[in-house]
């Protein structure tokens, strides 16, 4: 069983290597946004929420080396606001309402969903488009609604949710490394 899991992970990582130019492009774009006064918003559910918060933590804190803190918000992490929104507006509005509150034209929304079908994540991307944000998606296999809607997508072709999430973490780290390189953070 363990060998099968590692084989699936290795295969998915091999397939996602073709996304390296996309990750480079995202890192360069994100560096310009964040140093220009913009922010990154990130959302997902369950393990994808953890990956979203991992990304924002690396930006507000540091990835590997010290640098200035960068504006990044994991939308699920504001529990009082999140529970109030779900109670008052329903779970489909959880992230869209926060995008309306925090997103500004030119900001970036990173939306994570292993299935690509999470309705609250899809609603956030639709709202981000209305407000002029750039939207990037990390999903599982295509086709899926989130991949079709986002401005750009990296879809991980893997058979299990666990493997998709593990590859998403590798992409998050690669994005952070590219961002830091673009910012001239010493390696």
């Amino acid at each position: 069983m363990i060998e099968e899991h590692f084989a699936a992970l290795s295969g998915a990582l091999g397939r996602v290597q073709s996304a390296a130019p996309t990750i480079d492009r995202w890192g360069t774009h994100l560096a310009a946004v964040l140093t220009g006064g913009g922010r990154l918003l990130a959302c997902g559910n369950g393990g994808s929420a953890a990956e979203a918060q991992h990304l924002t933590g690396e930006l507000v804190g540091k990835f590997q080396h010290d640098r200035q803190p960068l504006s990044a918000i994991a939308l699920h992490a504001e529990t009082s606001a999140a529970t109030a929104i779900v109670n008052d507006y329903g779970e489909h509005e959880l992230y869209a309402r926060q995008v309306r509150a925090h997103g500004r034209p030119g900001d970036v929304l990173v939306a994570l969903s292993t299935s690509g079908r999470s309705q609250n994540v899809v609603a956030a991307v639709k709202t981000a488009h209305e407000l002029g944000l750039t939207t990037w998606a990390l999903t599982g296999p295509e086709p899926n609604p989130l991949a079709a809607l986002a401005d750009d997508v990296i879809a991980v072709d893997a058979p299990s949710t666990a493997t998709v999430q593990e590859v998403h973490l590798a992409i998050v780290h690669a994005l952070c490394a590219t961002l830091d390189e673009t910012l001239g953070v010493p390696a």
Side-chain angles (χ1 to χ4, degrees), residues 92-105:
H92 298 340
E93 277 293 303
L94 172 61
Y95 297 131
R97 188 157 181 89
Q98 292 182 76
V99 169
R100 283 186 209 96
H102 300 297
R104 303 294 178 264

Side-chain angles (χ1 to χ4, degrees), residues 22-114:
T22 300
I23 297 167
D24 283 338
R25 190 172 60 253
W26 288 7
T28 301
H29 180 85
L30 191 56
V33 168
L34 296 176
T35 59
R39 72 174 47 109
L40 176 131
L41 306 177
C43 65
N45 298 301
S48 295
E51 299 296 354
Q53 191 167 0
H54 190 118
L55 172 59
T56 61
E58 300 284 25
L59 299 180
V60 175
K62 67 176 185 175
F63 175 54
Q64 292 181 321
H65 303 285
D66 195 36
R67 61 155 154 68
Q68 68 179 11
L70 302 168
S71 183
I73 302 170
L75 297 178
H76 73 281
E78 182 62 48
T79 55
S80 294
T83 57
I85 292 165
V86 168
N87 186 62
D88 296 342
Y89 300 97
E91 66 274 3
H92 298 340
E93 277 293 303
L94 172 61
Y95 297 131
R97 188 157 181 89
Q98 292 182 76
V99 169
R100 283 186 209 96
H102 300 297
R104 303 294 178 264
D107 288 349
V108 174
L109 172 66
V110 175
L112 297 95
S113 172
T114 57

Side-chain angles (χ1 to χ4, degrees), residues 4-5 14 35 44 66 91 94 100-102 113-114 120 125 127 133 143 154 159 164 173:
E4 291 173 10
H5 178 77
T35 59
D66 195 36
E91 66 274 3
L94 172 61
R100 283 186 209 96
H102 300 297
S113 172
T114 57
N120 57 3
V125 170
T127 299
L133 279 72
I154 298 175
V164 170
H173 283 167

Side-chain angles (χ1 to χ4, degrees), residues 22 25-26 41 43 107-113 116-118 121-130 132-140 142-155 168:
T22 300
R25 190 172 60 253
W26 288 7
L41 306 177
C43 65
D107 288 349
V108 174
L109 172 66
V110 175
L112 297 95
S113 172
R117 292 171 184 60
S118 299
V121 176
V122 169
V125 170
K126 289 178 181 176
T127 299
H129 284 165
E130 293 168 9
L133 279 72
T134 298
T135 59
W136 299 332
L138 295 177
T139 74
E142 291 183 284
N144 64 68
L146 184 57
L149 185 62
D151 293 321
D152 210 352
V153 62
I154 298 175
H168 283 178

